[in-house]
Amino acid sequence: MNHPELDMAALVARLEALRAELQAQSEAGRDARETVMLDQTSVGRLSRMDALQGQAMAKAEEQRRQLAQQRITGTLARIERGEYGECIACGDWIDARRLERDPLVLKCIDCAE
């Protein structure tokens, strides 16, 4: 049984919207993750280093987005199985306020510490 204090339909809609937003951000940042091609005869070394740093930051951000999407998929699967809101460590209900703040949380506050 999913958490009795939460509106599952609203939660699923929120998670789907978050997943769509992450996918849109991923598409928008695709160019920033591409291989840096700069002509070293016309572009200075600092400009190339700056471009490489920007690329590395874009790749790291994409990894964070991918992880968030995986967490959303896992959360939706728990909802489908009727396990949403149960702490994965102790099995007790996670406080509804904690889940409303971060619907991807897996553990109650006691087990998270």
Side-chain angles (χ1 to χ4, degrees), residues 50-109:
D50 196 34
L52 290 171
Q53 182 181 20
Q55 177 194 36
M57 290 177 10
K59 285 182 176 182
E61 182 62 32
E62 178 62 18
Q63 287 177 331
R64 285 189 289 275
R65 278 192 292 269
Q66 293 296 322
L67 178 60
Q69 288 180 352
Q70 290 173 357
R71 291 179 66 207
I72 290 169
T73 299
T75 299
L76 290 170
R78 282 192 303 285
I79 291 171
E80 186 72 26
R81 291 190 308 264
E83 300 171 356
Y84 182 74
E86 295 176 20
C87 175
I88 63 168
C90 69
D92 289 341
W93 289 118
I94 299 171
D95 188 85
R97 294 171 297 184
R98 181 170 165 80
L99 290 169
E100 287 170 356
R101 185 157 197 257
D102 181 3
L104 305 177
V105 69
L106 297 172
K107 296 180 180 179
C108 67
I109 195 72

Short mmCIF file of all heavy atoms in Angstrom, two decimals, residues 50-109:
data_model
loop_
_atom_site.label_atom_id
_atom_site.label_comp_id
_atom_site.label_asym_id
_atom_site.label_seq_id
_atom_site.Cartn_x
_atom_site.Cartn_y
_atom_site.Cartn_z
N ASP A 50 39.13 27.25 -20.98
CA ASP A 50 37.80 27.68 -20.56
C ASP A 50 36.72 26.83 -21.24
O ASP A 50 35.75 26.41 -20.61
CB ASP A 50 37.61 29.16 -20.88
CG ASP A 50 36.44 29.77 -20.15
OD1 ASP A 50 36.17 29.36 -19.01
OD2 ASP A 50 35.79 30.67 -20.74
N ALA A 51 36.90 26.56 -22.53
CA ALA A 51 35.94 25.73 -23.26
C ALA A 51 35.93 24.30 -22.72
O ALA A 51 34.86 23.69 -22.58
CB ALA A 51 36.28 25.74 -24.75
N LEU A 52 37.10 23.77 -22.41
CA LEU A 52 37.17 22.41 -21.85
C LEU A 52 36.53 22.33 -20.46
O LEU A 52 35.85 21.35 -20.13
CB LEU A 52 38.62 21.93 -21.79
CG LEU A 52 39.28 21.64 -23.14
CD1 LEU A 52 40.77 21.40 -22.96
CD2 LEU A 52 38.61 20.45 -23.80
N GLN A 53 36.72 23.37 -19.68
CA GLN A 53 36.10 23.41 -18.36
C GLN A 53 34.58 23.49 -18.49
O GLN A 53 33.84 22.80 -17.77
CB GLN A 53 36.61 24.60 -17.55
CG GLN A 53 36.03 24.65 -16.15
CD GLN A 53 36.52 25.84 -15.36
OE1 GLN A 53 36.98 26.83 -15.92
NE2 GLN A 53 36.42 25.76 -14.06
N GLY A 54 34.10 24.29 -19.42
CA GLY A 54 32.66 24.38 -19.66
C GLY A 54 32.08 23.05 -20.10
O GLY A 54 31.00 22.65 -19.67
N GLN A 55 32.82 22.33 -20.94
CA GLN A 55 32.38 21.01 -21.40
C GLN A 55 32.32 20.03 -20.22
O GLN A 55 31.36 19.27 -20.07
CB GLN A 55 33.32 20.47 -22.47
CG GLN A 55 32.97 19.08 -22.93
CD GLN A 55 34.08 18.42 -23.72
OE1 GLN A 55 35.25 18.63 -23.42
NE2 GLN A 55 33.72 17.65 -24.72
N ALA A 56 33.33 20.04 -19.37
CA ALA A 56 33.36 19.15 -18.21
C ALA A 56 32.20 19.44 -17.26
O ALA A 56 31.57 18.50 -16.74
CB ALA A 56 34.70 19.28 -17.48
N MET A 57 31.91 20.70 -17.06
CA MET A 57 30.78 21.07 -16.19
C MET A 57 29.46 20.61 -16.81
O MET A 57 28.57 20.12 -16.10
CB MET A 57 30.78 22.57 -15.93
CG MET A 57 31.93 22.99 -15.03
SD MET A 57 32.16 24.76 -14.67
CE MET A 57 30.76 25.58 -15.26
N ALA A 58 29.31 20.75 -18.12
CA ALA A 58 28.09 20.31 -18.80
C ALA A 58 27.92 18.80 -18.70
O ALA A 58 26.81 18.29 -18.50
CB ALA A 58 28.10 20.76 -20.26
N LYS A 59 29.01 18.06 -18.81
CA LYS A 59 28.95 16.60 -18.69
C LYS A 59 28.57 16.18 -17.26
O LYS A 59 27.79 15.26 -17.07
CB LYS A 59 30.27 15.97 -19.09
CG LYS A 59 30.51 15.96 -20.59
CD LYS A 59 31.81 15.28 -20.94
CE LYS A 59 32.00 15.18 -22.44
NZ LYS A 59 33.24 14.48 -22.80
N ALA A 60 29.13 16.87 -16.28
CA ALA A 60 28.81 16.55 -14.88
C ALA A 60 27.33 16.85 -14.60
O ALA A 60 26.65 16.06 -13.92
CB ALA A 60 29.70 17.35 -13.94
N GLU A 61 26.83 17.94 -15.13
CA GLU A 61 25.42 18.28 -14.95
C GLU A 61 24.53 17.23 -15.62
O GLU A 61 23.49 16.85 -15.08
CB GLU A 61 25.13 19.67 -15.52
CG GLU A 61 23.71 20.13 -15.33
CD GLU A 61 23.29 20.26 -13.87
OE1 GLU A 61 24.15 20.58 -13.03
OE2 GLU A 61 22.10 20.03 -13.58
N GLU A 62 24.93 16.75 -16.77
CA GLU A 62 24.16 15.71 -17.46
C GLU A 62 24.14 14.42 -16.63
O GLU A 62 23.11 13.75 -16.54
CB GLU A 62 24.74 15.44 -18.85
CG GLU A 62 24.02 14.35 -19.61
CD GLU A 62 22.56 14.64 -19.91
OE1 GLU A 62 22.12 15.80 -19.83
OE2 GLU A 62 21.84 13.67 -20.22
N GLN A 63 25.25 14.08 -15.99
CA GLN A 63 25.28 12.89 -15.14
C GLN A 63 24.30 13.05 -13.97
O GLN A 63 23.61 12.09 -13.60
CB GLN A 63 26.68 12.63 -14.61
CG GLN A 63 27.63 12.11 -15.66
CD GLN A 63 29.04 11.93 -15.12
OE1 GLN A 63 29.47 12.64 -14.22
NE2 GLN A 63 29.76 10.98 -15.70
N ARG A 64 24.23 14.25 -13.39
CA ARG A 64 23.28 14.51 -12.30
C ARG A 64 21.84 14.37 -12.80
O ARG A 64 20.98 13.81 -12.11
CB ARG A 64 23.52 15.88 -11.68
CG ARG A 64 24.75 15.92 -10.78
CD ARG A 64 24.84 17.22 -10.00
NE ARG A 64 25.18 18.35 -10.82
CZ ARG A 64 26.42 18.71 -11.16
NH1 ARG A 64 27.44 17.99 -10.74
NH2 ARG A 64 26.64 19.76 -11.91
N ARG A 65 21.58 14.88 -14.01
CA ARG A 65 20.23 14.76 -14.58
C ARG A 65 19.87 13.29 -14.82
O ARG A 65 18.75 12.87 -14.54
CB ARG A 65 20.11 15.55 -15.88
CG ARG A 65 19.85 17.01 -15.69
CD ARG A 65 19.45 17.68 -17.00
NE ARG A 65 20.54 17.72 -17.96
CZ ARG A 65 21.41 18.71 -18.08
NH1 ARG A 65 21.32 19.76 -17.31
NH2 ARG A 65 22.35 18.65 -19.00
N GLN A 66 20.82 12.52 -15.34
CA GLN A 66 20.56 11.10 -15.60
C GLN A 66 20.28 10.35 -14.29
O GLN A 66 19.38 9.51 -14.24
CB GLN A 66 21.75 10.46 -16.33
CG GLN A 66 21.96 10.98 -17.73
CD GLN A 66 20.81 10.63 -18.65
OE1 GLN A 66 20.24 9.55 -18.56
NE2 GLN A 66 20.46 11.54 -19.52
N LEU A 67 21.02 10.67 -13.24
CA LEU A 67 20.79 10.04 -11.94
C LEU A 67 19.40 10.41 -11.41
O LEU A 67 18.67 9.54 -10.91
CB LEU A 67 21.87 10.46 -10.94
CG LEU A 67 21.72 9.91 -9.53
CD1 LEU A 67 21.76 8.38 -9.54
CD2 LEU A 67 22.81 10.46 -8.63
N ALA A 68 19.02 11.67 -11.55
CA ALA A 68 17.70 12.10 -11.11
C ALA A 68 16.61 11.37 -11.89
O ALA A 68 15.59 10.95 -11.32
CB ALA A 68 17.55 13.61 -11.25
N GLN A 69 16.80 11.19 -13.18
CA GLN A 69 15.82 10.47 -13.99
C GLN A 69 15.71 9.01 -13.55
O GLN A 69 14.61 8.45 -13.50
CB GLN A 69 16.16 10.57 -15.47
CG GLN A 69 15.90 11.95 -16.03
CD GLN A 69 16.25 12.07 -17.51
OE1 GLN A 69 16.81 11.15 -18.10
NE2 GLN A 69 15.89 13.19 -18.10
N GLN A 70 16.83 8.40 -13.20
CA GLN A 70 16.80 7.02 -12.70
C GLN A 70 16.05 6.94 -11.37
O GLN A 70 15.28 6.00 -11.13
CB GLN A 70 18.22 6.48 -12.53
CG GLN A 70 18.93 6.23 -13.83
CD GLN A 70 20.39 5.87 -13.62
OE1 GLN A 70 20.90 5.84 -12.50
NE2 GLN A 70 21.09 5.59 -14.71
N ARG A 71 16.27 7.93 -10.52
CA ARG A 71 15.57 7.97 -9.23
C ARG A 71 14.07 8.15 -9.43
O ARG A 71 13.26 7.55 -8.72
CB ARG A 71 16.15 9.07 -8.34
CG ARG A 71 17.57 8.75 -7.88
CD ARG A 71 18.14 9.84 -7.01
NE ARG A 71 17.40 9.93 -5.76
CZ ARG A 71 17.28 11.03 -5.04
NH1 ARG A 71 17.83 12.16 -5.44
NH2 ARG A 71 16.59 11.03 -3.92
N ILE A 72 13.69 8.98 -10.42
CA ILE A 72 12.27 9.18 -10.72
C ILE A 72 11.66 7.87 -11.21
O ILE A 72 10.57 7.48 -10.78
CB ILE A 72 12.08 10.31 -11.75
CG1 ILE A 72 12.42 11.66 -11.11
CG2 ILE A 72 10.66 10.31 -12.31
CD1 ILE A 72 12.52 12.80 -12.10
N THR A 73 12.36 7.18 -12.09
CA THR A 73 11.88 5.90 -12.61
C THR A 73 11.69 4.90 -11.47
O THR A 73 10.68 4.18 -11.41
CB THR A 73 12.84 5.34 -13.67
OG1 THR A 73 12.92 6.28 -14.75
CG2 THR A 73 12.38 4.00 -14.19
N GLY A 74 12.64 4.86 -10.56
CA GLY A 74 12.52 3.97 -9.39
C GLY A 74 11.35 4.34 -8.50
O GLY A 74 10.64 3.46 -8.00
N THR A 75 11.14 5.62 -8.31
CA THR A 75 10.02 6.08 -7.49
C THR A 75 8.69 5.71 -8.13
O THR A 75 7.78 5.23 -7.45
CB THR A 75 10.11 7.61 -7.27
OG1 THR A 75 11.33 7.90 -6.58
CG2 THR A 75 8.93 8.11 -6.45
N LEU A 76 8.58 5.91 -9.44
CA LEU A 76 7.35 5.53 -10.14
C LEU A 76 7.11 4.02 -10.06
O LEU A 76 5.97 3.57 -9.93
CB LEU A 76 7.40 6.02 -11.59
CG LEU A 76 7.31 7.54 -11.77
CD1 LEU A 76 7.62 7.92 -13.21
CD2 LEU A 76 5.95 8.06 -11.34
N ALA A 77 8.18 3.24 -10.10
CA ALA A 77 8.04 1.79 -9.97
C ALA A 77 7.55 1.41 -8.57
O ALA A 77 6.71 0.52 -8.42
CB ALA A 77 9.38 1.10 -10.28
N ARG A 78 8.05 2.09 -7.54
CA ARG A 78 7.59 1.82 -6.17
C ARG A 78 6.12 2.18 -6.03
O ARG A 78 5.37 1.47 -5.35
CB ARG A 78 8.44 2.57 -5.16
CG ARG A 78 9.79 1.92 -4.90
CD ARG A 78 10.51 2.50 -3.71
NE ARG A 78 10.73 3.93 -3.78
CZ ARG A 78 11.64 4.53 -4.54
NH1 ARG A 78 12.43 3.82 -5.31
NH2 ARG A 78 11.77 5.84 -4.54
N ILE A 79 5.70 3.28 -6.66
CA ILE A 79 4.28 3.65 -6.62
C ILE A 79 3.45 2.56 -7.29
O ILE A 79 2.42 2.14 -6.76
CB ILE A 79 4.06 5.02 -7.30
CG1 ILE A 79 4.69 6.14 -6.45
CG2 ILE A 79 2.57 5.28 -7.53
CD1 ILE A 79 4.73 7.50 -7.14
N GLU A 80 3.91 2.09 -8.44
CA GLU A 80 3.20 1.04 -9.18
C GLU A 80 3.07 -0.24 -8.35
O GLU A 80 2.03 -0.91 -8.38
CB GLU A 80 3.94 0.75 -10.49
CG GLU A 80 3.23 -0.19 -11.40
CD GLU A 80 2.00 0.40 -12.05
OE1 GLU A 80 1.93 1.64 -12.22
OE2 GLU A 80 1.09 -0.38 -12.38
N ARG A 81 4.11 -0.57 -7.60
CA ARG A 81 4.09 -1.78 -6.76
C ARG A 81 3.35 -1.57 -5.44
O ARG A 81 3.15 -2.51 -4.68
CB ARG A 81 5.52 -2.23 -6.46
CG ARG A 81 6.28 -2.78 -7.64
CD ARG A 81 7.60 -3.42 -7.22
NE ARG A 81 8.44 -2.58 -6.41
CZ ARG A 81 9.45 -1.82 -6.86
NH1 ARG A 81 9.72 -1.80 -8.15
NH2 ARG A 81 10.18 -1.09 -6.03
N GLY A 82 2.99 -0.30 -5.15
CA GLY A 82 2.29 -0.02 -3.90
C GLY A 82 3.22 0.08 -2.71
O GLY A 82 2.79 -0.09 -1.57
N GLU A 83 4.48 0.39 -2.94
CA GLU A 83 5.48 0.47 -1.87
C GLU A 83 5.94 1.89 -1.58
O GLU A 83 6.84 2.09 -0.76
CB GLU A 83 6.71 -0.36 -2.27
CG GLU A 83 6.43 -1.82 -2.51
CD GLU A 83 7.62 -2.55 -3.10
OE1 GLU A 83 8.66 -1.92 -3.40
OE2 GLU A 83 7.51 -3.78 -3.28
N TYR A 84 5.34 2.87 -2.21
CA TYR A 84 5.84 4.24 -2.07
C TYR A 84 5.57 4.77 -0.66
O TYR A 84 4.47 4.65 -0.13
CB TYR A 84 5.20 5.18 -3.09
CG TYR A 84 5.74 6.58 -2.98
CD1 TYR A 84 7.01 6.88 -3.44
CD2 TYR A 84 5.01 7.58 -2.36
CE1 TYR A 84 7.53 8.14 -3.32
CE2 TYR A 84 5.53 8.86 -2.24
CZ TYR A 84 6.79 9.13 -2.72
OH TYR A 84 7.31 10.39 -2.59
N GLY A 85 6.60 5.35 -0.09
CA GLY A 85 6.49 5.96 1.23
C GLY A 85 7.01 5.10 2.35
O GLY A 85 7.12 5.55 3.48
N GLU A 86 7.35 3.84 2.04
CA GLU A 86 7.93 2.96 3.05
C GLU A 86 9.45 3.14 3.05
O GLU A 86 10.08 3.15 2.00
CB GLU A 86 7.62 1.50 2.74
CG GLU A 86 6.15 1.15 2.81
CD GLU A 86 5.89 -0.29 2.40
OE1 GLU A 86 6.84 -1.11 2.43
OE2 GLU A 86 4.75 -0.59 2.05
N CYS A 87 10.02 3.27 4.22
CA CYS A 87 11.47 3.37 4.35
C CYS A 87 12.10 2.06 3.89
O CYS A 87 11.66 0.97 4.30
CB CYS A 87 11.84 3.65 5.80
SG CYS A 87 13.62 3.65 6.13
N ILE A 88 13.10 2.15 3.01
CA ILE A 88 13.73 0.93 2.51
C ILE A 88 14.62 0.26 3.55
O ILE A 88 15.00 -0.89 3.39
CB ILE A 88 14.55 1.20 1.22
CG1 ILE A 88 15.70 2.16 1.49
CG2 ILE A 88 13.65 1.69 0.10
CD1 ILE A 88 16.71 2.26 0.37
N ALA A 89 14.92 0.96 4.64
CA ALA A 89 15.78 0.39 5.67
C ALA A 89 14.96 -0.31 6.77
O ALA A 89 15.24 -1.44 7.14
CB ALA A 89 16.67 1.46 6.28
N CYS A 90 13.95 0.40 7.28
CA CYS A 90 13.22 -0.15 8.43
C CYS A 90 11.79 -0.56 8.11
O CYS A 90 11.16 -1.27 8.89
CB CYS A 90 13.23 0.85 9.59
SG CYS A 90 12.24 2.33 9.29
N GLY A 91 11.25 -0.09 6.98
CA GLY A 91 9.89 -0.46 6.59
C GLY A 91 8.80 0.42 7.16
O GLY A 91 7.63 0.24 6.82
N ASP A 92 9.14 1.36 8.03
CA ASP A 92 8.14 2.29 8.56
C ASP A 92 7.78 3.33 7.51
O ASP A 92 8.49 3.52 6.53
CB ASP A 92 8.68 3.01 9.81
CG ASP A 92 8.79 2.09 11.01
OD1 ASP A 92 8.13 1.03 11.01
OD2 ASP A 92 9.54 2.44 11.94
N TRP A 93 6.66 4.04 7.74
CA TRP A 93 6.27 5.10 6.82
C TRP A 93 7.21 6.29 6.97
O TRP A 93 7.57 6.69 8.08
CB TRP A 93 4.84 5.58 7.10
CG TRP A 93 3.78 4.61 6.73
CD1 TRP A 93 2.88 4.03 7.58
CD2 TRP A 93 3.47 4.10 5.44
NE1 TRP A 93 2.05 3.19 6.88
CE2 TRP A 93 2.39 3.22 5.56
CE3 TRP A 93 4.02 4.31 4.17
CZ2 TRP A 93 1.84 2.55 4.48
CZ3 TRP A 93 3.48 3.63 3.09
CH2 TRP A 93 2.40 2.77 3.25
N ILE A 94 7.60 6.85 5.85
CA ILE A 94 8.38 8.09 5.84
C ILE A 94 7.38 9.22 6.08
O ILE A 94 6.26 9.18 5.55
CB ILE A 94 9.10 8.27 4.48
CG1 ILE A 94 10.06 7.11 4.25
CG2 ILE A 94 9.81 9.62 4.42
CD1 ILE A 94 10.66 7.07 2.85
N ASP A 95 7.76 10.21 6.86
CA ASP A 95 6.88 11.32 7.16
C ASP A 95 6.39 11.97 5.85
O ASP A 95 7.18 12.22 4.95
CB ASP A 95 7.62 12.35 8.02
CG ASP A 95 6.70 13.43 8.52
OD1 ASP A 95 6.05 13.23 9.56
OD2 ASP A 95 6.62 14.47 7.84
N ALA A 96 5.09 12.22 5.76
CA ALA A 96 4.49 12.78 4.55
C ALA A 96 5.11 14.13 4.18
O ALA A 96 5.30 14.43 2.99
CB ALA A 96 2.98 12.92 4.72
N ARG A 97 5.44 14.94 5.18
CA ARG A 97 6.06 16.25 4.88
C ARG A 97 7.42 16.07 4.22
O ARG A 97 7.79 16.83 3.33
CB ARG A 97 6.20 17.08 6.16
CG ARG A 97 4.85 17.48 6.75
CD ARG A 97 5.02 18.09 8.10
NE ARG A 97 5.61 17.04 8.97
CZ ARG A 97 5.84 17.19 10.25
NH1 ARG A 97 5.57 18.32 10.85
NH2 ARG A 97 6.35 16.20 10.97
N ARG A 98 8.15 15.07 4.64
CA ARG A 98 9.46 14.78 4.03
C ARG A 98 9.28 14.35 2.58
O ARG A 98 10.02 14.78 1.70
CB ARG A 98 10.16 13.68 4.85
CG ARG A 98 11.53 13.27 4.36
CD ARG A 98 12.18 12.36 5.42
NE ARG A 98 13.33 11.65 4.91
CZ ARG A 98 14.55 12.17 4.78
NH1 ARG A 98 14.76 13.42 5.11
NH2 ARG A 98 15.55 11.44 4.32
N LEU A 99 8.29 13.53 2.32
CA LEU A 99 8.03 13.08 0.95
C LEU A 99 7.51 14.21 0.07
O LEU A 99 7.81 14.25 -1.12
CB LEU A 99 7.04 11.92 0.96
CG LEU A 99 7.57 10.62 1.53
CD1 LEU A 99 6.44 9.63 1.73
CD2 LEU A 99 8.65 10.04 0.62
N GLU A 100 6.72 15.11 0.63
CA GLU A 100 6.23 16.24 -0.15
C GLU A 100 7.37 17.16 -0.54
O GLU A 100 7.38 17.74 -1.61
CB GLU A 100 5.16 16.99 0.63
CG GLU A 100 3.84 16.23 0.70
CD GLU A 100 2.85 16.84 1.66
OE1 GLU A 100 3.20 17.83 2.36
OE2 GLU A 100 1.72 16.32 1.73
N ARG A 101 8.33 17.30 0.35
CA ARG A 101 9.48 18.16 0.07
C ARG A 101 10.40 17.53 -0.97
O ARG A 101 10.87 18.19 -1.88
CB ARG A 101 10.27 18.41 1.35
CG ARG A 101 11.40 19.38 1.18
CD ARG A 101 11.74 20.00 2.50
NE ARG A 101 12.54 21.20 2.28
CZ ARG A 101 13.83 21.25 2.45
NH1 ARG A 101 14.49 20.19 2.85
NH2 ARG A 101 14.48 22.36 2.24
N ASP A 102 10.67 16.23 -0.82
CA ASP A 102 11.51 15.50 -1.76
C ASP A 102 10.87 14.14 -2.03
O ASP A 102 11.06 13.19 -1.26
CB ASP A 102 12.93 15.32 -1.21
CG ASP A 102 13.85 14.59 -2.19
OD1 ASP A 102 13.42 14.27 -3.32
OD2 ASP A 102 15.01 14.35 -1.82
N PRO A 103 10.09 14.03 -3.10
CA PRO A 103 9.38 12.78 -3.36
C PRO A 103 10.29 11.61 -3.73
O PRO A 103 9.82 10.48 -3.83
CB PRO A 103 8.44 13.13 -4.51
CG PRO A 103 9.06 14.31 -5.16
CD PRO A 103 9.80 15.05 -4.09
N LEU A 104 11.57 11.86 -3.92
CA LEU A 104 12.50 10.79 -4.30
C LEU A 104 13.23 10.17 -3.13
O LEU A 104 14.03 9.25 -3.30
CB LEU A 104 13.54 11.33 -5.31
CG LEU A 104 12.95 11.99 -6.56
CD1 LEU A 104 14.07 12.54 -7.43
CD2 LEU A 104 12.08 11.02 -7.33
N VAL A 105 12.95 10.64 -1.93
CA VAL A 105 13.64 10.16 -0.74
C VAL A 105 13.25 8.68 -0.49
O VAL A 105 12.13 8.27 -0.73
CB VAL A 105 13.32 11.06 0.49
CG1 VAL A 105 11.89 10.94 0.94
CG2 VAL A 105 14.26 10.79 1.62
N LEU A 106 14.23 7.90 -0.03
CA LEU A 106 14.04 6.46 0.15
C LEU A 106 13.97 6.03 1.61
O LEU A 106 13.52 4.94 1.91
CB LEU A 106 15.18 5.69 -0.52
CG LEU A 106 15.29 5.86 -2.03
CD1 LEU A 106 16.58 5.20 -2.53
CD2 LEU A 106 14.08 5.28 -2.71
N LYS A 107 14.48 6.88 2.50
CA LYS A 107 14.58 6.49 3.90
C LYS A 107 13.90 7.51 4.82
O LYS A 107 13.87 8.70 4.51
CB LYS A 107 16.04 6.35 4.34
CG LYS A 107 16.78 5.25 3.63
CD LYS A 107 18.22 5.19 4.12
CE LYS A 107 18.98 4.08 3.40
NZ LYS A 107 20.38 4.03 3.85
N CYS A 108 13.41 7.01 5.95
CA CYS A 108 12.88 7.91 6.97
C CYS A 108 14.05 8.71 7.56
O CYS A 108 15.20 8.37 7.36
CB CYS A 108 12.13 7.12 8.04
SG CYS A 108 13.18 6.05 9.06
N ILE A 109 13.71 9.72 8.29
CA ILE A 109 14.76 10.61 8.83
C ILE A 109 15.68 9.87 9.79
O ILE A 109 16.90 10.10 9.80
CB ILE A 109 14.13 11.86 9.50
CG1 ILE A 109 15.18 12.94 9.72
CG2 ILE A 109 13.44 11.52 10.79
CD1 ILE A 109 15.64 13.62 8.47
#
